[in-house]
Amino acid sequence: MNVRQMFCSFSSTSIMLLSLMVAPPSIASDSNDITIDTNSHSFARPVKVIQLDIGKGFRERLLPGEVRAADKASLSFRVAGQIADIYVRPGDHVKAGDLLAKLDSDLYQQQYEVAKAQYELAKVLFERSSSLVEQGVVSRNDFDQSKSDFTIARAALDKAETDLAYTQLKAPYDGMISKRDRKQFEFVQAQESIMGIRTESFIDISFQLPEQFIGAIQANRVNEGPVENIDVKFDSRDAWYKARLKELSTVADTSTGSYTIILTLKMPTELNVLPGMAASVRVKLPYRGASSNPVIAAGARVEENGQTYVFRWLPEQLKVEKVAVTLNDNQLESGLEDGDWLVVAGASELTDGESTVRWVKERGL
C-alpha cells in the first residue's frame, strides 16, 4: 500500500468517526427511545413595565412607613464633672423642669464662693472710690481701675453661678425618657450625651413617595393648602388615623429615586406606638383631569381586526394578560385601571397568559 492509499484510508475513517461524534441522537429504537422535549424547562420572559397613574376623583396609593418621634433631643450637661445621681430610667414620663440628673457640684460650689467674695470686695472698693474721687482724694486713674475690677468680679460671679446651675440636668419639655447613655459615678465632658427625651403628644410617620406622585402633592400644597387626604394605619390595630403633611423633601433618595415625606398626627390614646414601628400610609391624590391619562407607546400596542390590545402584567401571578383598550390619539380612554402594570415594549412578541417577570435595569446600564 502506497502513501496515497494510506492517507485516503485514514481520512475516510476520520470522517466517519467525526460524523458519529457530532450527529444528533437518533429518535426511537425498540426499547430505548430517546425523546427530546425543548419545552420541558419553561422560562419567564422579562418585560419592561410601568404602573399606570389614572385619575378617577382621587388616586389612592398604599405605601409602607416607619414611626418616628415628633420631637426628640439628646440631653447633656454644659459643664464637665462626675455624675452624682441619675433620677430617671428609659420609659419614665417627665414634666418640663423635672430634675433628671446632677453632677458632683463641690468644685463648682467652691468656685462660686470665691467669685462671690471677690465680687463683694470689688464692690466695696468701687463704692469707696466713687465717694473719694469727688473729693479729689482718689485719682481718676485709681477710680477707673476700681470700676474695672468691680465689673470683672461681677461677670466672674455670674459665670460661677451659671456653672453651678449647669450641674443639674432638667427636662426641657413634657415627654418620655427614650434612652440613657451614661451611668452614675462616670466622668463626663461638657455636651456629652447623658440621655434622650422625646415627646408623647405627637408622632411622625416617614415614608417614600415615588417620583410620579410628588408633583401632585406639591401642586396641591400651592393651590389648596395642606394635603389632608392622608391616613395612617399601625400593625397593632386595624383602623385608619388622619394625618397631615409635616415635611416634604425635594431631593430624591439616591438608592430608590423616591422622595421622603414626613407626616404627623396625635398619639392614639388606645395604642402604644413607639419609634421604629411599622406603619401603612394611604395617600389620596387629587385627580388631574383626563388630559393627564397616559399615552400608550407603539411598542405596547397590538392591532388585531381593528381593535387595539395591550398586555397587563399581573405581579401576583407573574404572567401577562391581553386586554382590549380604547385610545384617543394614542391616549388611553378605557380598558385599564389606576395602578395597573402596563407592558411598554415588545407587546407583539407576547402571548396571553405567558409567564413573565419584571425587567429591572441593572446598575451601570
Side-chain angles (χ1 to χ4, degrees):
M1 181 180 297
N2 55 30
V3 176
R4 182 182 297 274
Q5 292 174 337
M6 291 176 62
F7 177 78
C8 293
S9 176
F10 175 77
S11 300
S12 301
T13 305
S14 301
I15 293 172
M16 292 176 64
L17 291 174
L18 182 61
S19 63
L20 290 174
M21 293 173 63
V22 301
S26 58
I27 310 285
S29 62
D30 292 339
S31 59
N32 298 318
D33 292 346
I34 300 176
T35 303
I36 299 178
D37 185 4
T38 59
N39 296 324
S40 59
H41 298 286
S42 61
F43 65 95
R45 181 195 298 266
V47 290
K48 185 176 182 181
V49 297
I50 60 170
Q51 192 172 23
L52 295 181
D53 182 14
I54 304 172
K56 289 187 177 181
F58 281 98
R59 296 169 290 157
E60 184 176 299
R61 288 292 180 270
L62 189 63
L63 302 167
E66 181 183 358
V67 179
R68 293 185 178 182
D71 289 302
K72 61 181 180 179
S74 181
L75 305 181
S76 60
F77 290 103
R78 300 179 69 173
V79 293
Q82 185 183 44
I83 299 177
D85 290 294
I86 298 180
Y87 302 104
V88 293
R89 297 177 179 273
D92 288 352
H93 300 268
V94 296
K95 297 290 186 181
D98 286 353
L99 182 62
L100 307 179
K102 69 177 183 179
L103 297 176
D104 183 356
S105 60
D106 291 346
L107 176 61
Y108 294 99
Q109 184 67 41
Q110 293 173 2
Q111 293 175 350
Y112 171 75
E113 296 297 338
V114 171
K116 185 177 181 180
Q118 292 175 343
Y119 168 77
E120 295 293 342
L121 175 60
K123 181 179 179 182
V124 170
L125 294 177
F126 172 67
E127 291 176 348
R128 183 181 301 169
S129 299
S130 298
S131 61
L132 295 177
V133 72
E134 299 295 338
Q135 304 173 15
V137 178
V138 176
S139 67
R140 177 61 63 177
N141 288 339
D142 291 340
F143 170 75
D144 292 340
Q145 183 63 48
S146 64
K147 181 179 179 181
S148 175
D149 293 342
F150 173 66
T151 303
I152 294 174
R154 183 169 57 187
L157 177 61
D158 291 341
K159 182 181 183 303
E161 186 177 8
T162 301
D163 288 345
L164 182 60
Y166 284 160
T167 60
Q168 295 185 344
L169 184 63
K170 297 183 178 181
Y173 48 74
D174 296 352
M176 174 187 291
I177 302 300
S178 58
K179 63 176 183 176
R180 193 172 73 179
D181 300 320
R182 294 296 178 182
K183 298 180 180 179
Q184 189 178 9
F185 306 123
E186 289 185 342
F187 189 90
V188 295
Q189 298 294 334
Q191 300 181 358
E192 186 176 351
S193 178
I194 306 299
M195 63 185 68
I197 187 174
R198 64 176 181 86
T199 58
E200 291 186 288
S201 55
F202 285 86
I203 55 173
D204 288 351
I205 309 296
S206 174
F207 71 99
Q208 297 285 321
L209 187 68
E211 60 180 341
Q212 62 263 37
F213 307 127
I214 195 71
I217 286 188
Q218 288 180 323
N220 194 70
R221 293 183 71 187
V222 173
N223 299 329
E224 303 177 15
V227 180
E228 301 294 344
N229 298 308
I230 302 178
D231 301 318
V232 176
K233 184 179 72 171
F234 305 98
D235 292 345
S236 56
R237 188 178 180 87
D238 190 17
W240 292 95
Y241 299 88
K242 286 291 183 182
R244 60 182 180 85
L245 186 63
K246 181 178 181 180
E247 297 179 15
L248 189 155
S249 174
T250 57
V251 178
D253 187 276
T254 56
S255 59
T256 63
S258 301
Y259 294 82
T260 301
I261 308 296
I262 298 180
L263 311 174
T264 187
L265 68 155
K266 287 187 175 181
M267 174 72 77
T269 57
E270 66 276 14
L271 293 178
N272 183 24
V273 181
L274 300 176
M277 289 185 173
S280 298
V281 179
R282 184 173 62 188
V283 183
K284 294 181 180 179
L285 303 175
Y287 177 40
R288 298 174 299 179
S291 61
S292 65
N293 284 354
V295 175
I296 307 300
R301 305 192 303 264
V302 176
E303 303 291 339
E304 292 182 3
N305 301 323
Q307 174 65 54
T308 302
Y309 294 89
V310 297
F311 285 90
R312 176 168 50 198
W313 183 61
L314 306 176
E316 295 83 6
Q317 305 175 27
L318 293 180
K319 67 178 184 180
V320 291
E321 178 185 26
K322 193 174 183 180
V323 180
V325 294
T326 302
L327 305 180
N328 181 11
D329 194 18
N330 295 331
Q331 191 171 36
L332 180 67
E333 287 191 345
S334 64
L336 294 173
E337 300 294 332
D338 184 44
D340 282 350
W341 292 91
L342 172 68
V343 178
V344 295
S348 60
E349 304 295 330
L350 298 175
T351 58
D352 190 20
E354 183 176 354
S355 296
T356 55
V357 293
R358 181 184 181 186
W359 176 77
V360 179
K361 183 178 180 180
E362 296 182 6
R363 183 170 297 182
L365 297 181

